Amino acid sequence: MIVFDLLCSGGHRFEGWFNSAADFGAQRKHKILECPTCGTAKVDRVPSAARLNLGAQEAARPEAPQQKTPEMEGKDPFAIAQMLYSKMLDDLLTKTEDVGTKFPEKAREIFYERAPAKPIRGQATDKEHDELLAEGIPVSRLPIPPKNKLN
């Protein structure tokens, strides 16, 4: 078996297991291979990290860097994660402009340099999101709670 990293035209990355490179080519040619997320048959191989099988040696685990700040001292990891998420969410909400449902239009204007570059956020339908990705416009979906649910 051989494992390939794959990328569909919709920007979804996944891996596929094949008997050989020829098997991958045949499945792709006959459109048997589909993206598990969106179902498109437009799938390409992408570079993947090499895997070296060096036996059953256990890898040495690097120690996690100790970057504790005073507000983290004595708190459990869940509380720290909540604090970091809150900070990230606060930065996102205060340092970006909410363009609402005009997000796809505004993202295109910025990408194609018809408007000044600035950080924006807003809403896009699944179709609009996929179209932006297909055009090569870098967008990302983030879980942002509704304004009436923020503390």
Side-chain angles (χ1 to χ4, degrees):
M1 282 288 186
I2 188 167
V3 180
F4 290 142
D5 284 339
L6 306 172
L7 182 70
C8 80
S9 61
H12 304 115
R13 193 175 183 119
F14 59 100
E15 68 179 33
W17 294 50
F18 304 93
N19 288 326
S20 64
D23 181 34
F24 163 74
Q27 287 189 34
R28 185 171 175 241
K29 180 181 176 185
H30 293 95
K31 299 189 186 284
I32 297 170
L33 183 60
E34 293 182 349
C35 172
T37 303
C38 66
T40 184
K42 294 178 184 175
V43 177
D44 292 308
R45 268 182 69 186
V46 293
S48 60
R51 181 183 181 281
L52 302 175
N53 190 0
L54 302 175
Q57 300 172 355
E58 188 167 324
R61 292 184 177 210
E63 286 190 32
Q66 298 296 320
Q67 297 178 353
K68 290 186 178 178
T69 61
E71 59 268 6
M72 292 182 185
E73 273 308 311
K75 292 190 177 172
D76 67 63
F78 182 74
I80 293 170
Q82 281 185 316
M83 181 185 65
L84 294 174
Y85 177 75
S86 294
K87 176 161 180 19
M88 186 262 326
L89 187 58
D90 184 56
D91 285 349
L92 180 71
L93 294 174
T94 59
K95 296 179 181 177
T96 61
E97 180 184 340
D98 186 359
V99 295
T101 57
K102 293 187 180 203
F103 179 81
E105 173 189 334
K106 298 292 185 182
R108 283 186 178 95
E109 288 175 3
I110 292 168
F111 183 77
Y112 293 114
E113 299 179 351
R114 294 189 301 253
K118 62 183 174 183
I120 61 171
R121 61 185 154 79
Q123 296 87 42
T125 64
D126 289 341
K127 182 180 180 217
E128 290 169 332
H129 180 262
D130 291 344
E131 289 170 351
L132 290 169
L133 289 175
E135 288 179 48
I137 300 173
V139 294
S140 179
R141 292 198 165 162
L142 299 172
I144 300 174
K147 289 179 183 175
N148 62 349
K149 300 285 185 184
L150 295 174
N151 289 332

